[in-house]
């Protein structure tokens, strides 16, 4: 091997070592720049509020204390660690804190994703897959706990697939990843569910005499992962809390992130599915039965609930990485690396420079930009008026619940749908969306409502305008307030 060729290989090796960090830095800066779009879900309010409560009390919640419709009802927070991290960042930097934390979560996800893919396929293809995955996931990138769990999900599945590709069992040292995931977000149940089909991939390609032994090692690992998932302050109750949302039935079709995929208009997800089919036909991609099952399962999950599209976007490429690597083998220069200490020093220096540049960019950007929550989720003026009137029981819109919790106002309903149950929230939507308007006066009387706070462009306020015993006292582009006509008129503002 000539000296110039050896130097070329060394340079490529250093570039490949820095590639995941470069992709991560680019992802971080992108989401920092569009940071205001991450503050569009009112659930962020109550997530931060619960994190603050945990920090203030040094304990975790076991019952509800934010609503007047479910006070004392059993409820646990399966995202407690993420909520604490968001609360700490918010206390330190205001809304810039959750934005930065979310951008870091996405950066880590992209970096880990490229690192795992780069072991099997060429770097340009790994970067392309990362860009496509980010594009498909962008609709669900919000300052919420699932983003902090996303890099853990990618690392967990990538490591399991790597073990299956080696026809070996996963290392026990990976179990802390599951424990971390279980404390960050309830989506850890997906990681448990995928152990089975991935283990079949490993066993199917193992030598016949080793299959039973290998299968038992995977079974033991699965048991260990189940135990690790219970290593939370809630113990085994974490498993129950994480799956409660799936029992909401019809209600899931009304909550945007739990809706099924809609192909009425062309979307990136639709394009990804068509591209996946085209790739299989054009290149004659042949997969094992377990890999086919994994792809079908992830596709079905994404079709059933749009929030699962990010899992499809990041995990399907990991499942396809080895077959694609065999279909498109690396050039020689891309498969040989330099293991010299000077090269490692240069790589480490480059990594420090990338991190320093990202942090400097953050400081400069924050110096002239103030992140703000979207106004459509924050009826500030309306809540100010309700507090001035001293009303106690407010019939609030679903999307206003988080903001009311942040203002220490007891809510009728909020984003914790699993707490309220399918029937309660379905009755609320049917009453306020005009599907069963006769339900509205019954609910108002049943829960002794003093005032309503509903979305301005929804049918609810129009129904209340025609409802005897109620009158509109305030309206803006965000919210409308109605109060009972027997309220203290002296306290009401003039129309």
């Amino acid at each position: 091997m000539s000296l110039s060729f050896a130097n070329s290989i060394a340079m490529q090796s250093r570039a490949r070592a820095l590639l995941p960090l470069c992709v991560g830095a680019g992802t971080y800066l992108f989401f920092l720049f569009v940071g205001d779009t991450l503050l569009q879900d009112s659930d962020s309010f109550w997530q931060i509020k619960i994190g603050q409560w945990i920090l203030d009390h040094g304990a975790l919640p076991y019952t509800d204390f934010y609503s007047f419709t479910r006070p004392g009802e059993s409820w646990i927070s399966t995202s407690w660690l993420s909520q604490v991290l968001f609360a700490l960042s918010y206390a330190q930097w205001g809304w810039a804190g959750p934005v930065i934390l979310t951008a870091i979560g996405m950066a880590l996800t992209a970096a880990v994703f490229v690192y795992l893919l780069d072991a099997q396929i060429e770097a340009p293809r790994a970067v392309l897959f990362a860009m496509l995955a980010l594009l498909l996931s962008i609709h669900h990138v919000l300052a919420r706990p699932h983003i902090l769990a996303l890099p853990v999900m990618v690392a967990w599945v990538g490591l399991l697939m790597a073990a299956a590709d080696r026809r070996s069992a996963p290392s026990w040292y990976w179990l802390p990843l599951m424990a971390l995931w279980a404390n960050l977000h309830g989506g850890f149940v997906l990681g448990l569910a995928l152990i089975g089909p991935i283990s079949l991939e490993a066993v199917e390609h193992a030598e016949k005499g080793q299959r039973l032994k290998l299968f038992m090692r995977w079974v033991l690992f699965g048991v260990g992962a189940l135990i690790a998932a219970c290593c939370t302050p809630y113990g085994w109750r974490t498993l129950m809390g994480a799956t409660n949302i799936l029992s909401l039935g019809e209600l899931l079709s009304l909550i945007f992130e739990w809706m099924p995929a809609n192909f009425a208009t062309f979307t990136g997800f639709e394009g990804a599915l068509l591209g996946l089919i085209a790739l299989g036909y054009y290149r004659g991609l042949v997969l094992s039965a377990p890999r086919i099952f994994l792809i079908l399962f992830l596709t079905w999950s994404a079709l059933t609930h749009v929030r699962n599209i990010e899992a499809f976007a990041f995990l399907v490429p990991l499942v396809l990485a080895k077959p694609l690597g065999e279909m498109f083998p690396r050039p020689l220069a891309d498969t040989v690396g330099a293991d010299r200490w000077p090269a490692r020093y240069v790589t480490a220096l480059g990594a420090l420079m990338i991190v320093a540049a990202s942090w400097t960019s953050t400081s400069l950007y924050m110096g002239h930009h103030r992140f703000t929550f979207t106004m459509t989720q924050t009826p500030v003026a309306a809540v100010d008026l309700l507090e001035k009137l001293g009303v106690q029981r407010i019939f609030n819109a679903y999307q206003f619940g988080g903001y009311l919790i942040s203002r220490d106002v007891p809510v009728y309903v909020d984003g914790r749908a699993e707490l309220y149950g399918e029937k309660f929230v379905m009755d609320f939507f049917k009453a306020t969306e005009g599907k069963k308007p006769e339900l509205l006066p019954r609910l108002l009387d049943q829960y002794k409502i003093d005032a309503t706070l509903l979305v301005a462009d929804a049918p609810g306020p129009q129904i209340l305008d025609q409802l005897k015993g109620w009158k509109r006292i305030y309206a803006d582009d965000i919210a409308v307030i109605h109060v009972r006509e027997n309220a203290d008129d002296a306290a009401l503002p003039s129309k």
Side-chain angles (χ1 to χ4, degrees):
M1 182 183 295
S2 67
L3 181 60
S4 60
F5 185 61
N7 289 336
S8 175
I9 292 177
M11 292 178 64
Q12 290 188 34
S13 176
R14 290 194 291 271
R16 284 184 56 200
L18 289 174
L19 180 64
L21 193 57
C22 290
V23 172
T27 302
Y28 169 78
L29 293 175
F30 171 78
F31 283 106
L32 180 70
F33 180 72
V34 298
D36 290 314
T37 66
L38 311 182
L39 304 174
Q40 299 188 63
D41 193 319
S42 64
D43 282 1
S44 298
F45 285 106
W46 65 259
Q47 301 280 6
I48 292 173
K49 191 71 174 180
I50 290 173
Q52 291 172 337
W53 187 91
I54 293 172
L55 291 171
D56 292 340
H57 294 79
L60 271 71
Y62 283 83
T63 59
D64 171 54
F65 38 76
Y66 289 122
S67 76
F68 62 84
T69 52
R70 290 292 187 272
E73 191 86 7
S74 177
W75 180 79
I76 63 173
S77 175
T78 54
S79 302
W80 74 272
L81 182 56
S82 295
Q83 291 160 349
V84 167
L85 294 174
F86 275 116
L88 288 171
S89 66
Y90 181 79
Q92 184 69 29
W93 297 297
W95 283 116
V99 167
I100 292 173
L101 197 57
T102 303
I104 290 174
M106 292 305 300
L108 288 174
T109 302
V112 172
F113 182 69
V114 170
Y115 175 81
L116 293 168
L117 286 183
D118 189 50
Q120 298 285 357
I121 64 178
E122 291 182 279
R125 290 192 174 92
V127 174
L128 177 61
F129 274 122
M131 293 174 64
L132 292 174
L134 291 170
L135 179 63
L136 289 179
S137 306
I138 199 166
H139 72 284
H140 200 220
V141 180
L142 301 163
R144 284 176 43 194
H146 68 281
I147 296 299
L148 303 189
L150 197 57
V152 182
M153 178 191 75
V154 172
W156 175 261
V157 176
L159 290 172
L160 293 187
M161 288 304 306
D165 292 339
R166 296 192 304 269
R167 304 172 189 176
S168 64
S171 170
W172 292 91
Y173 292 112
W174 301 346
L175 292 179
L177 269 180
M178 176 53 67
L180 175 62
W181 192 354
N183 284 279
L184 286 171
H185 189 256
F188 70 90
V189 292
L190 174 64
L192 294 175
L194 292 180
I195 294 175
I198 295 177
S199 69
L200 296 179
E201 171 67 18
V203 172
E204 179 179 325
H205 294 90
E207 297 180 5
K208 288 187 177 181
Q210 299 294 320
R211 288 179 180 176
L212 180 59
K213 180 180 179 181
L214 180 60
F215 177 73
M216 293 307 300
R217 290 175 62 190
W218 274 89
V219 170
L220 290 175
F221 180 82
V223 173
L226 186 62
I227 295 173
C230 295
C231 292
T232 75
Y234 294 112
W236 65 270
R237 294 181 63 180
T238 302
L239 293 171
M240 299 298 296
T243 55
N244 282 343
I245 189 72
L246 300 178
S247 64
L248 294 178
E250 182 185 2
L251 174 58
L252 293 180
S253 64
L254 298 181
I255 303 174
F256 172 74
E257 62 182 339
W258 290 100
M259 289 180 178
N262 184 359
F263 291 155
T265 58
F266 187 82
T267 63
F269 177 50
E270 185 176 358
L273 284 178
L274 295 175
L276 185 62
I277 295 171
L279 176 65
Y281 278 114
Y282 182 71
R283 286 292 182 176
L285 189 61
V286 178
L287 303 176
S288 63
R291 288 185 195 268
I292 292 174
F293 174 81
L294 284 167
I295 292 174
L296 291 178
F297 173 74
L298 292 169
T299 303
W300 170 80
S301 298
L303 289 171
T304 306
H305 306 298
V306 295
R307 66 171 293 144
N308 292 330
I309 291 177
E310 66 226 37
F312 170 89
F314 283 104
L315 300 188
V316 167
L318 296 178
V319 176
L320 293 176
K322 183 175 173 57
L324 289 177
E326 294 171 349
M327 183 178 293
F328 304 104
R330 294 177 184 274
L332 177 62
D334 201 31
T335 59
V336 181
D339 194 28
R340 300 176 182 177
W341 280 105
R344 295 182 182 181
Y345 291 147
V346 172
T347 301
L349 179 61
L352 289 174
M353 292 176 65
I354 292 172
V355 173
S358 299
W359 183 250
T360 301
S361 300
T362 302
S363 300
L364 292 174
Y365 187 65
M366 288 175 58
H368 64 82
H369 184 80
R370 294 292 178 267
F371 296 101
T372 57
F373 210 92
T374 177
M375 294 299 295
T376 58
Q377 305 282 345
T378 54
V380 180
V383 176
D384 287 343
L385 176 58
L386 288 170
E387 288 186 336
K388 180 180 179 181
L389 296 177
V391 295
Q392 299 299 313
R393 301 169 79 86
I394 303 170
F395 185 81
N396 61 277
Y398 186 84
Q399 56 265 53
F400 292 159
Y403 178 70
L404 288 174
I405 288 175
S406 73
R407 295 278 297 264
D408 296 316
V409 177
V411 298
Y412 178 88
V413 69
D414 61 85
R416 299 170 298 161
E418 71 280 6
L419 166 67
Y420 300 97
E422 178 184 5
K423 184 180 185 306
F424 179 91
V425 185
M426 284 301 301
D427 284 348
F428 169 82
F429 278 122
K430 289 175 181 178
T432 57
E433 296 298 325
K435 294 181 179 179
K436 285 189 176 181
E438 66 275 10
L439 281 175
L440 186 54
R442 180 170 67 81
L443 294 177
L444 297 176
D445 291 337
Q446 179 182 350
Y447 290 99
K448 299 179 175 58
I449 301 300
D450 300 319
T452 67
L453 177 67
L454 299 176
V455 178
D457 58 358
Q462 283 69 45
I463 298 174
L464 280 163
D465 287 339
Q466 308 301 320
L467 195 60
K468 185 178 180 180
W470 290 85
K471 60 181 175 181
R472 179 185 295 220
I473 64 166
Y474 177 84
D476 57 22
D477 294 336
I478 301 172
V480 177
I481 296 176
H482 286 78
V483 297
R484 292 186 184 272
E485 286 188 333
N486 59 1
D488 184 5
D489 291 338
L492 301 180
S494 59
K495 295 184 179 179

